[in-house]
Amino acid sequence: MNARGLDADWVSGTPRSAPTGPEIGPFGFFCGKSWQSHAWVECGDFIVDITADQFGASPVLVVDSTDNRYNKGSRDVALPQFVLARQRAVDAIWPRWQRMNAGASKVRSYLESPAPEDR
């Protein structure tokens, strides 16, 4: 859609309703019984869904963006222990990444500087 000049965004929603985690809200696609993880395209005031048939809907839906079967989510749906594990991994590698990035910046500066004969 973007390639055709339409301003469109891919969005999704994921409810977490497993017994091992708390319910975080009605996100995704409501199939009439429960919320399901799902993704769709929003374009202007419309939702374009080309995979709604997996939930018993028509194969392609183009509906108003206020259709209450859809609710995009922006929260991290990972369980708290996995959020913590990711944070620990970042904390462990961040200093090394910063050192590598600083070295790359020096190399870039050197390569972008005028050659000695140009000085």
Side-chain angles (χ1 to χ4, degrees), residues 14-35:
T14 304
R16 181 173 15 127
S17 54
T20 57
E23 179 69 44
I24 61 169
F27 299 112
F29 182 84
F30 188 72
C31 66
K33 297 178 183 177
S34 61
W35 287 94

Side-chain angles (χ1 to χ4, degrees), residues 10-18 23-31 34-40 49 51-52 54-55 69-73 75 77-78:
W10 178 87
V11 296
S12 65
T14 304
R16 181 173 15 127
S17 54
E23 179 69 44
I24 61 169
F27 299 112
F29 182 84
F30 188 72
C31 66
S34 61
W35 287 94
Q36 302 295 319
S37 294
H38 194 49
W40 58 92
D49 187 345
T51 59
Q54 66 185 305
F55 304 115
R69 291 175 291 181
Y70 294 87
N71 193 18
K72 60 184 167 186
R75 283 186 62 173
V77 297

Side-chain angles (χ1 to χ4, degrees), residues 3-118:
R4 297 287 184 178
L6 299 169
D7 187 23
D9 293 303
W10 178 87
V11 296
S12 65
T14 304
R16 181 173 15 127
S17 54
T20 57
E23 179 69 44
I24 61 169
F27 299 112
F29 182 84
F30 188 72
C31 66
K33 297 178 183 177
S34 61
W35 287 94
Q36 302 295 319
S37 294
H38 194 49
W40 58 92
V41 172
E42 290 187 357
C43 183
D45 292 331
F46 295 97
I47 290 172
V48 180
D49 187 345
I50 62 170
T51 59
D53 57 335
Q54 66 185 305
F55 304 115
S58 298
V60 176
L61 289 177
V62 178
V63 297
D64 190 88
S65 62
T66 60
D67 189 306
N68 60 12
R69 291 175 291 181
Y70 294 87
N71 193 18
K72 60 184 167 186
S74 58
R75 283 186 62 173
D76 186 343
V77 297
L79 293 171
Q81 65 265 31
F82 298 113
V83 172
L84 181 61
R86 282 196 315 249
Q87 186 59 52
R88 287 180 178 154
V90 169
D91 290 346
I93 65 171
W94 189 252
R96 182 174 179 204
W97 185 89
Q98 287 179 309
R99 286 190 305 273
M100 289 171 54
N101 192 44
S105 293
K106 289 178 185 176
V107 170
R108 252 190 320 277
S109 293
Y110 174 77
L111 294 174
E112 291 171 354
S113 66
E117 62 273 3
D118 295 336

